Amino acid sequence: MARIAVIGAGMGAMATAARLAVAGHQVTVYERGPSYGGAVGRYERDGFSFDTGPGLLHLPAVYRDLFVKTGKAPLEDRVGLVQLDPAVRHIVGDTTVTLPGASRGGVAAALDAAFGPGAGERWNSLLGRARDTWDATRRPLLEEPLRPDWQVLGRDPYPALRGSGLLRRRPPTLAEVAARELGGELGELLAGRVRAYGIDPASAPASAAALPYMEQTFGSWYVRGGMRELATAVHERCLERKVTFVFGAPVRGVLVRGGRAAGVLLADGTEAAADSVVCGIDPRQLPASSVPRPPDGVPVRGERVPGRITLLLALRGARPADAVHRTLVHSPGLDVTVLRPDDPAGRPDAGHEAVTVSAVCGPAGGAGVPEPRELLDLAVRAVPDLRERLLWQEVRTPADVEAATGAVGGSVPAPSLAGAGGTLLHPGNVTALPGLYLAGGWAHPGGGLAHAGMTGALVAGLIVEGADFRGSQ
């Protein structure tokens, strides 16, 4: 039995802790804040309850697998998972289109009705190529440790449409694919879905189309009571496996003895010895000497990782029967996501509604964070009577995210993508310091609830099985 110190109590860190504990290790989690969950937080006021981080889950199989591998009670015994249907409503220009959940034919019919005959076929043809991209990269990007020859992932696997002219020069960007294969407002649906991840279609490789494919194929899911309930379920599973949590314990650095990680140094000067250390936070929160570059040499994403601004809106009046859970309002220079969950746990009674509006923006300390009124102006397109019904609003800026989670600039990491020379990959889970591993959204395979959760299987496998570990099954 080895002693494992885990830095941070975010979702990836807790997923790692639970898997290591069930393998027989003694695991202690050190968290700077007063609670678990990292970015998966909750704000409550006057009977209203809001998610302050991710509002939806994609690839729920990641957490189903976590619960199967760490105990008897399955995930659905702990949380209520609801698949969205409709999956999403898009408002782009003068067009509004509502797409059903997990129905390829239904999506095609809705697109034909909104954009004209043939639109659905073009969309499904493009997602068919995105499926090829997903199939080619699913294991190396999601289920295996970052391969030593990671450079092969720098090539974009998206099979560009022949005859488009894109094959004869540099690989196409996602924006170019959207314009040439879909065109007009239909192409904007694809580009906007990718922008919601904090990825710029104008510079992203065409492989980013795998993200909308993932959503349409595996669905978008909500947890009854809010996503915080998922964090609570994972935390409780950790406690069942005898993981120890120490809250209010910021880590100042990683202890190094004999050329390997030997524990953590807490801010109060306490040293906590360990045989291995898992860094589950943004590594930039620690001195560079504590978290050396991985031996694989993967390019590290720039310091200007986007953040998010979020408005938590308390509304008087019942949620209309025709409201949908998620609406994307597309606008030049600023898109907003409007979430309207039909969840009694989020409102004081049936005569009120809780709405969350968010937008990708620049990190704290830089330009690009819009004013709340700009978000409201766009949200009105999804909730026409919003201003008349508004009781109060709470604003969460990237600076607030930084204060709550420690993530530098309140940045929110995006999933890893193949292509672009490897610049959209994340550092591997193994570092240049023996005994030190990276987990969570800032490590391979990147950000998002599902992707961060995948690091649990990868890091636990590397620690338990060593260099022979070839990936989750």
Side-chain angles (χ1 to χ4, degrees):
M1 178 178 69
R3 298 167 299 172
I4 312 292
V6 178
I7 305 173
M11 299 299 285
M14 290 197 296
T16 306
R19 290 178 180 271
L20 287 171
V22 82
H25 296 298
Q26 179 183 327
V27 184
T28 303
V29 177
Y30 298 92
E31 165 58 43
R32 67 188 288 274
S35 186
Y36 54 84
V40 186
R42 173 182 286 161
Y43 178 79
E44 296 176 315
R45 174 180 163 188
D46 299 339
F48 291 90
S49 178
F50 303 87
D51 289 318
T52 58
L56 295 174
L57 172 65
H58 304 295
L59 296 179
V62 172
Y63 288 93
R64 291 189 178 116
D65 181 71
L66 171 65
F67 275 73
V68 166
K69 299 293 176 56
T70 60
K72 295 182 179 179
L75 175 63
E76 280 82 355
D77 281 2
R78 300 301 179 89
V79 300
L81 279 176
V82 181
Q83 185 172 5
L84 301 195
D85 193 11
V88 60
R89 176 174 289 166
H90 291 272
I91 300 176
V92 51
D94 295 326
T95 303
T96 297
V97 57
T98 303
L99 303 182
S103 173
R104 178 185 174 96
V107 168
L111 294 175
D112 281 346
F115 300 107
E121 180 180 359
R122 296 199 305 278
W123 177 269
N124 282 338
S125 294
L126 184 144
L127 287 199
R129 289 182 283 280
R131 178 195 58 215
D132 294 340
T133 300
W134 173 269
D135 291 342
T137 59
R138 178 177 59 84
R139 284 218 39 100
L141 270 184
L142 302 180
E143 299 173 358
E144 299 175 348
L146 194 64
R147 51 197 303 171
D149 60 340
W150 61 267
Q151 291 86 352
V152 300
L153 293 172
R155 297 193 291 269
D156 190 345
Y158 181 84
L161 186 65
R162 293 189 177 276
S164 67
L166 296 177
L167 292 174
R168 295 191 293 271
R169 49 189 180 87
R170 59 169 174 75
T173 65
L174 190 281
E176 290 170 333
V177 164
R180 290 176 181 253
E181 298 187 24
L182 298 176
E185 292 182 344
L186 181 61
E188 172 56 27
L189 263 60
L190 180 75
R193 291 275 277 274
V194 169
R195 281 196 298 269
Y197 286 87
I199 298 169
D200 180 8
S203 58
S207 67
L211 297 175
Y213 166 80
M214 173 188 70
E215 289 187 19
Q216 181 166 312
T217 303
F218 304 107
S220 299
W221 299 74
Y222 175 71
V223 176
R224 293 196 183 278
M227 300 307 297
R228 178 69 177 176
E229 294 300 311
L230 178 63
T232 297
V234 176
H235 176 247
E236 290 176 348
R237 177 53 56 89
C238 286
L239 296 179
E240 292 167 5
R241 301 280 75 84
K242 309 303 181 185
V243 174
T244 299
F245 285 81
V246 183
F247 295 108
V251 172
R252 183 187 300 171
V254 176
L255 298 174
V256 180
R257 294 194 175 95
R260 63 172 289 117
V264 295
L265 173 65
L266 303 182
D268 64 4
T270 302
E271 294 187 357
D275 300 299
S276 294
V277 176
V278 177
C279 177
I281 63 174
D282 180 349
R284 294 176 296 172
Q285 296 182 48
L286 300 175
S289 58
S290 283
V291 187
R293 284 285 297 272
D296 45 50
V298 173
V300 175
R301 291 193 178 193
E303 295 293 309
R304 307 298 296 172
V305 178
R308 280 183 173 80
I309 179 171
T310 302
L311 307 183
L312 313 176
L313 307 178
L315 305 187
R316 63 171 64 87
R319 180 182 187 270
D322 62 349
V324 299
H325 192 119
R326 177 172 61 152
T327 300
L328 297 185
V329 181
H330 304 252
S331 174
L334 181 65
D335 300 334
V336 302
T337 299
V338 181
L339 298 181
R340 308 178 71 180
D342 186 9
D343 189 348
R347 57 192 184 233
D349 54 51
H352 294 84
E353 182 182 7
V355 174
T356 301
V357 179
S358 64
V360 173
C361 62
V369 179
E371 293 294 328
R373 60 174 176 76
E374 298 178 68
L375 273 66
L376 283 177
D377 288 343
L378 291 173
V380 165
R381 302 193 65 195
V383 189
D385 57 356
L386 187 154
R387 293 189 185 279
E388 294 78 14
R389 297 174 57 198
L390 184 61
L391 291 170
W392 51 261
Q393 70 177 23
E394 183 73 18
V395 181
R396 287 287 185 271
T397 66
D400 296 319
V401 174
E402 181 174 30
T405 69
V408 177
S411 298
V412 180
S416 290
L417 293 174
T423 57
L424 297 180
L425 299 174
H426 287 75
N429 309 104
V430 176
T431 73
L433 177 64
L436 174 63
Y437 302 85
L438 302 182
W442 295 96
H444 174 76
L449 275 175
H451 290 69
M454 290 172 191
T455 63
L458 296 177
V459 174
L462 288 165
I463 292 176
V464 172
E465 300 184 28
D468 294 332
F469 179 64
R470 292 293 179 266
S472 57
Q473 303 298 321

